[in-house]
Amino acid sequence: MERTLSMPVRRVLVMAAVMALASSLLAWLPLAVRSIPAVRGADTCQLASANGDIQHVIHIQFDNTHLRRDNPNVPSDLEQMPHLLDFIRNNGTMLTNDHTVLISHTATGILSTLTGVYPDRMGQPVSNSFRYFTPSGTSRTGVSFAYWTAPLFDPAGPAGQTDFTPEMINENGKIAPAPWVPYTRAGCNFGAVATANTILENTAIDIPTVFGAGSDEAAEVAANPGQAFADFVGIGIHCAQASTICDAASHGRPDALPDEPGGYANFNGLFGAKYVNPVIKPSAPMTDLDGNVIQDAAGHVGFPGFDGMEATVSLSWVAQMQEAGIPVTYAYISDAHDGHGTSGNIHFAYGPGEAGYVQQLHDYDVAFQKFFERLAADGINKSNTLFVFTVDEGDHFAGDAPTPAGCDGVTTTCNYDRVGEINADLRRMIRTQFEDTTAFSVHSDDAPTVYVNGNPGQTDPAVRKLERESAQLSWTNPYTGQVESGITQALADPVEEKILHMVTADPFRTPTFTLFADPDWFFFGTGGGPCLTQAACAFIPARTNQSFAWNHGDIQDEIASTWVGYVGPGVRHLGSSDVWTDHTDVRPTMLSLLGLVDDYRPDGRVVFEILDDAVVPASLRTDRATLTRLAQVYKQITATFGDFDMTTLRVSTTALASSSPNDQTYLHLSDKLATIGAKRDAVALQMSTMLTAAAFGGQPINHAQASGLIGKGEGLLDQAHELAAGN
């Protein structure tokens, strides 16, 4: 899992940094020989699916795994995993026109899928880390990955921290509702396997949050941080009230959700492999699907780190949990396009069709074959299980063309000379090209967010100057040797960031502006002086065991476009469908199939087009033509990568790049964007309320009201296009 902190530190390096900080702060076995403990939870689970057939839920979210081909000659990731791809297409529906949200990274992609809301309602639009302003106007780093109820995770420690708002902050400034709640309230134990923020993500802030600063677990962190990470991070169970799996004898802890709508009392959870593994597999150490004891690169038995969650590891935990009476399991699988070495201790970026990449995809395919066979032997299959498979975001590969020309990776191995993102120092480039010494910080990314010191307003002359300069940025591209003048492809300040769902209830997290770049580039910012040479500030790093070549976070279609596969009772056998969806639609679609309901309104909508009529509420079958059009227009005006947001982003780019007298162009367009954005929010809320009431409240849509909203939505799209065309 690639979780960016700052250049060159990324998610793969978080484990070591956090363990050091924490220390300073304080087989697959044959079915016949498996030991399956008697655990309450499966028998008390009351999933109210319309046909009563769903008894298990398995949700798998990959990191950076592609349905589309990155090279037209090389089969895609899923094409090289036929056991998974065929399982979806032969038994359910593959949505091929799904989309991530902004900023399109692991945290934001997973958390929007888990919650069914856009980042402005769950707190993590800039990920996998972000910056926040301090009262003095400087900015500090926050990390997107922390346990659900933790305060903002500042890895530098609490001594200088100024923002203690919830890590997962909703639109009301409270802790966002947790994704396991509908399941546990229905009596279902919820197993979490490396799934963002549903488990402990670190030992620095999450141990005090869940166990307490004076706990035995905190003492272990101080004494043996490596083993503590393996013991407590990455694996968890959120228990139903009726379950004994999380009792005191098993080291269960209160599953506290103080801000949960409707209250959430007397629920417990198990946190960490140290406590989960003995419950789900008491007879022997936890092994992967190949029978290897799961441990990290240093030999610590337990959680191997997020980049160590390859398919054979993650799927083994899912199967073991299901067999132990945990009927709902959510899991994460690390990407296949990077070689992670033993238990995720390296990060070697492969190119499409390279031998290591192809081998890793083959290993993933074999793991899914074993997984499905093992589940089938347990009686867990498409007839009684809702399977959902998806991915956090897409990627852009940065590297030379492969040799030999036309290689496909499978029969002819692809080889690469240079592989890697162009690492670029935005602060020094601006200083060199424009002699602008304005102090600002950069959240490193292909889509870098800029935080100008002093936290000035959007019309401040220094801010406007930086935005114009960013629009004009040009530099020598080390891949081509030519000066590239179109590095910046889009710009957004807080007006457009709000339209893009990037403005949260914590104003200190809002960037001064966001730059969406050419996807070959990865920006960071240092405090150095001017660049003495072009290569000093924009270069391709040497290819090492800590290299990166798959860029995301940005707005290009290859990054924005994703996929979702549904299999199980109530899912139509369509093979593939090109219905336009995004990540927020996964949760309401799942809950509708399961007969469950959230305690908040989702931003997503039920994708009823892929569901059997027999399981769709009558209120979603009435006036289907109008309902379908309402849903389609709703997504295009509210989704981050929908028509409205992407069109207004073009307007925003024009506005921020403009240099008219008295900045009249910027002021005019900014006012227009604020006005049309507010209108969009009002119409989208009405549409969402109507769609949610039909899906979960049994209220058929009112044809006249729905038609009126469709007209308003289409009118907003027309206004956005007119605004873009006029500028």
Side-chain angles (χ1 to χ4, degrees):
M1 185 184 291
E2 189 177 322
R3 301 185 178 183
T4 305
L5 281 180
S6 60
M7 191 282 166
V9 182
R10 300 207 180 177
R11 173 62 174 70
V12 68
L13 303 180
V14 170
M15 177 177 169
V18 169
M19 288 189 334
L21 171 62
S23 180
S24 66
L25 293 176
L26 271 173
W28 183 45
L29 298 176
L31 183 62
V33 300
R34 284 189 220 128
S35 175
I36 309 300
V39 177
R40 292 186 65 194
D43 56 343
T44 63
C45 184
Q46 300 296 315
L47 297 175
S49 57
N51 54 15
D53 289 339
I54 300 178
Q55 301 169 25
H56 307 267
V57 179
I58 295 176
H59 179 286
I60 306 290
Q61 191 149 13
F62 287 89
D63 192 25
N64 316 134
T65 301
H66 307 159
L67 175 62
R68 297 184 181 186
R69 294 187 174 192
D70 296 294
N71 179 314
N73 299 315
V74 178
S76 72
D77 296 346
L78 289 186
E79 286 177 309
Q80 294 184 60
M81 288 191 278
H83 284 96
L84 174 59
L85 184 58
D86 292 347
F87 178 78
I88 296 170
R89 286 180 168 167
N90 295 341
N91 301 294
T93 297
M94 171 69 81
L95 289 174
T96 61
N97 197 20
D98 192 60
H99 300 80
T100 185
V101 300
L102 286 174
I103 283 179
S104 47
H105 276 295
T106 301
T108 305
I110 294 176
L111 292 169
S112 57
T113 305
L114 291 179
T115 61
V117 300
Y118 292 112
D120 52 1
R121 296 181 61 201
M122 53 78 169
Q124 299 296 339
V126 179
S127 68
N128 292 325
S129 56
F130 55 92
R131 299 192 70 84
Y132 68 91
F133 282 108
T134 67
S136 68
T138 59
S139 62
R140 289 168 60 99
T141 294
V143 178
S144 302
F145 295 103
Y147 182 62
W148 208 270
T149 59
L152 187 153
F153 179 25
D154 182 334
Q161 186 167 348
T162 61
D163 191 337
F164 294 91
T165 55
E167 179 80 9
M168 299 297 300
I169 189 171
N170 72 0
E171 67 271 28
N172 301 314
K174 303 290 187 180
I175 298 171
W180 58 86
V181 168
Y183 297 106
T184 53
R185 282 177 174 166
C188 309
N189 289 332
F190 178 105
V193 180
T195 301
N197 298 17
T198 63
I199 38 77
L200 273 61
E201 291 275 358
N202 60 79
T203 55
I205 193 172
D206 289 351
I207 291 289
T209 296
V210 172
F211 292 107
S215 63
D216 291 342
E217 292 80 7
E220 182 182 334
V221 172
N224 191 349
Q227 187 59 57
F229 190 96
D231 280 346
F232 305 124
V233 170
I235 304 297
I237 301 172
H238 299 278
C239 282
Q241 285 181 327
S243 175
T244 59
I245 193 171
C246 294
D247 60 20
S250 300
H251 298 275
R253 304 290 296 184
D255 196 359
L257 295 172
D259 294 336
E260 194 68 27
Y264 193 74
N266 302 316
F267 289 86
N268 286 343
L270 285 185
F271 301 93
K274 181 175 182 177
Y275 299 143
V276 170
N277 287 355
V279 172
I280 65 173
K281 191 179 182 186
S283 63
M286 187 66 195
T287 57
D288 63 22
L289 293 177
D290 302 310
N292 303 305
V293 173
I294 299 174
Q295 56 190 322
D296 67 17
H300 299 117
V301 175
F303 182 66
F306 292 95
D307 278 345
M309 295 303 288
E310 297 175 341
T312 185
V313 175
S314 191
L315 296 177
S316 180
W317 250 306
V318 171
Q320 197 71 43
M321 285 183 174
Q322 287 284 338
E323 292 159 356
I326 301 168
V328 179
T329 48
Y330 276 57
Y332 162 85
I333 295 177
S334 56
D335 65 80
H337 58 47
D338 295 314
H340 299 299
T342 303
S343 301
N345 67 322
I346 67 171
H347 199 280
F348 185 84
Y350 293 124
E354 201 162 10
Y357 193 173
V358 172
Q359 181 61 52
Q360 196 151 264
L361 289 171
H362 171 75
D363 294 342
Y364 276 35
D365 184 51
V366 171
F368 272 98
Q369 179 184 14
K370 292 180 178 180
F371 178 64
F372 291 134
E373 290 175 352
R374 176 169 168 174
L375 291 182
D378 296 326
I380 301 171
N381 54 52
K382 63 184 180 181
S383 70
N384 57 22
T385 304
L386 174 60
F387 292 91
V388 178
F389 305 94
T390 188
V391 65
D392 48 15
E393 76 270 328
D395 289 291
H396 167 82
F397 172 68
D400 282 324
T403 57
C407 63
D408 64 3
V410 179
T411 59
T412 304
T413 299
C414 295
N415 299 291
Y416 292 85
D417 181 10
R418 295 173 299 176
V419 169
E421 306 152 338
I422 301 171
N423 283 190
D425 190 330
L426 182 62
R427 278 187 63 175
R428 296 179 66 198
M429 291 166 70
I430 291 287
R431 183 170 183 175
T432 302
Q433 184 173 345
F434 302 101
E435 299 183 353
D436 188 342
T437 59
T438 301
F440 63 91
S441 296
V442 178
H443 173 258
S444 307
D445 204 352
D446 175 28
T449 43
V450 173
Y451 302 76
V452 178
N453 284 19
N455 195 10
Q458 65 189 58
T459 60
D460 185 276
V463 171
R464 290 291 300 118
K465 186 171 186 288
L466 279 173
E467 291 166 345
R468 294 187 194 99
E469 291 164 351
S470 296
Q472 300 167 30
L473 188 66
S474 62
W475 210 261
T476 300
N477 184 319
Y479 274 111
T480 65
Q482 303 298 313
V483 174
E484 182 176 346
S485 59
I487 298 174
T488 299
Q489 300 192 346
L491 288 164
D493 72 357
V495 173
E496 179 63 20
E497 288 168 349
K498 186 175 188 302
I499 292 174
L500 298 173
H501 303 290
M502 290 177 60
V503 176
T504 72
D506 181 3
F508 299 113
R509 303 186 198 187
T510 304
T512 307
F513 65 92
T514 302
L515 186 160
F516 298 98
D518 178 302
D520 278 344
W521 295 72
F522 183 90
F523 285 99
F524 57 96
T526 70
C531 310
L532 298 181
T533 66
Q534 293 273 299
C537 287
F539 55 92
I540 305 167
R543 198 176 187 192
T544 69
N545 283 345
Q546 295 296 334
S547 59
F548 298 87
W550 293 89
N551 244 344
H552 37 255
D554 219 324
I555 57 173
Q556 291 76 22
D557 185 60
E558 62 191 318
I559 294 171
S561 295
T562 54
W563 55 271
V564 187
Y566 294 87
V567 172
V571 178
R572 296 176 66 187
H573 293 191
L574 298 177
S576 296
S577 170
D578 63 356
V579 174
W580 203 104
T581 61
D582 75 357
H583 281 354
T584 65
D585 301 324
V586 173
R587 184 168 182 83
T589 302
M590 290 181 65
L591 294 190
S592 179
L593 277 166
L594 298 169
L596 301 178
V597 62
D598 267 320
D599 48 27
Y600 58 91
R601 176 189 57 82
D603 287 325
R605 60 96 171 184
V606 175
V607 187
F608 49 79
E609 295 93 330
I610 68 166
L611 306 183
D612 293 332
D613 283 345
V615 303
V616 174
S619 48
L620 285 179
R621 298 197 302 268
T622 304
D623 198 357
R624 179 59 70 88
T626 303
L627 181 68
T628 299
R629 186 57 185 155
L630 177 67
Q632 292 171 342
V633 174
Y634 170 66
K635 295 309 300 188
Q636 291 308 308
I637 70 167
T638 196
T640 306
F641 284 102
D643 189 355
F644 184 87
D645 283 29
M646 289 296 99
T647 301
T648 56
L649 182 58
R650 297 205 309 271
V651 177
S652 171
T653 304
T654 299
L656 270 62
S658 65
S659 57
S660 59
N662 299 316
D663 219 3
Q664 285 302 305
T665 297
Y666 167 75
L667 294 172
H668 170 72
L669 292 178
S670 182
D671 181 67
K672 290 288 187 181
L673 286 171
T675 299
I676 196 174
K679 291 179 180 178
R680 185 283 302 269
D681 290 345
V683 173
L685 177 59
Q686 294 178 68
M687 288 180 167
S688 175
T689 300
M690 181 176 288
L691 289 166
T692 301
F696 299 104
Q699 300 179 26
I701 64 167
N702 179 289
H703 178 83
Q705 292 178 353
S707 297
L709 288 174
I710 291 169
K712 290 181 179 179
E714 291 174 336
L716 284 168
L717 294 174
D718 289 342
Q719 291 175 46
H721 282 283
E722 290 171 4
L723 192 58
N727 295 278

